[in-house]
């Protein structure tokens, strides 16, 4: 069975400093991995996705993530945090062996950005 | 979230009442999903529909029923609401890419349901 672990429930950074949100996955097969962002009282927006092409994936708003198979990790980074980045972030893996193509969500990391 | 609409946006029910959450897409994709979001737990799949007229259970189907009568709409029904069903409900579609299998899903804006 596939699963996702987000290692931090909350991360707090100062505006202008780097962001690191950590995610480890468990998968018996080549996974498809995603990061979604949810701003307060809003829906979910896709930030970026990994689908077995380049291991370094660039997303929207300056975010990127690196797929490391040896470490089963897919950490999300951004060089410089902006106040508008404050939101909840979900690491997600797809169940590629399940015909439902369902998504399996981590429990989320809430990013706080201090002025 | 243009492309996937959900109604209502907010709803308060008393225990035992019934209601239907509506989801509609104008993006012509086959697969549709219902998730619930609870604090500290991410999203969990309730039911999904791979195509018009077919539905299957997800991780947490108890207390819910669904209906996919046409390609555009996928509804979620609570027959007898319970406080444990207080949650935010999201509908999603899987983005078909033709011959390339895609796992990316596009989400609606959500329905916030409170059961008292």
């Amino acid at each position: 069975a596939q699963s996702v672990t987000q290692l931090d429930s909350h991360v707090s950074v100062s505006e202008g400093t780097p962001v690191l949100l950590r995610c480890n996955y468990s998968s018996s097969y080549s996974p498809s991995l995603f990061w979604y962002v949810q701003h307060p009282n809003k829906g979910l927006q896709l930030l970026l996705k990994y689908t077995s092409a380049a291991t370094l994936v660039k997303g929207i708003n300056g975010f990127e993530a690196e797929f490391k198979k040896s470490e089963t990790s897919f950490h999300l980074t951004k060089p410089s945090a902006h106040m508008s980045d404050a939101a909840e972030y979900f690491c997600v893996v797809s169940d590629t062996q399940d015909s439902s193509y369902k998504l399996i969500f981590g429990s989320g990391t809430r990013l706080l950005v201090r002025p | 979230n243009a492309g996937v609409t959900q109604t209502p946006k907010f709803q308060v029910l008393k225990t035992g009442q019934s209601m239907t959450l509506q989801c509609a897409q104008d993006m012509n994709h086959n697969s549709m999903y219902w998730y619930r979001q609870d604090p500290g737990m991410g999203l969990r799949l309730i039911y999904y529909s791979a195509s018009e007229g077919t539905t299957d259970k997800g991780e947490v189907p108890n207390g819910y029923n669904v209906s996919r009568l046409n390609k555009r709409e996928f509804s979620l029904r609570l027959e007898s609401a319970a406080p444990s069903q207080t949650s935010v409900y999201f509908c999603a579609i899987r983005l078909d890419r033709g011959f390339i299998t895609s796992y990316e899903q596009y989400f609606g804006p959500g329905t916030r349901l409170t059961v008292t």
Side-chain angles (χ1 to χ4, degrees), chain A residues 46-66:
Chain A
L46 180 68
L47 266 183
L48 50 80
K49 61 183 177 183
Y50 166 78
T51 54
S52 75
T55 56
L56 182 62
V57 181
K58 293 189 185 299
I60 62 172
N61 300 333
F63 284 94
E64 61 182 37
E66 186 172 9

Side-chain angles (χ1 to χ4, degrees), chain B residues 60-80:
Chain B
V60 288
N62 292 344
Y64 304 96
N65 285 302
V66 290
S67 177
R68 181 88 183 272
L69 297 179
N70 55 59
K71 191 172 186 177
R72 184 173 176 272
E73 297 170 305
F74 188 35
S75 60
L76 178 71
R77 182 161 178 83
L78 287 71
E79 292 290 352
S80 179

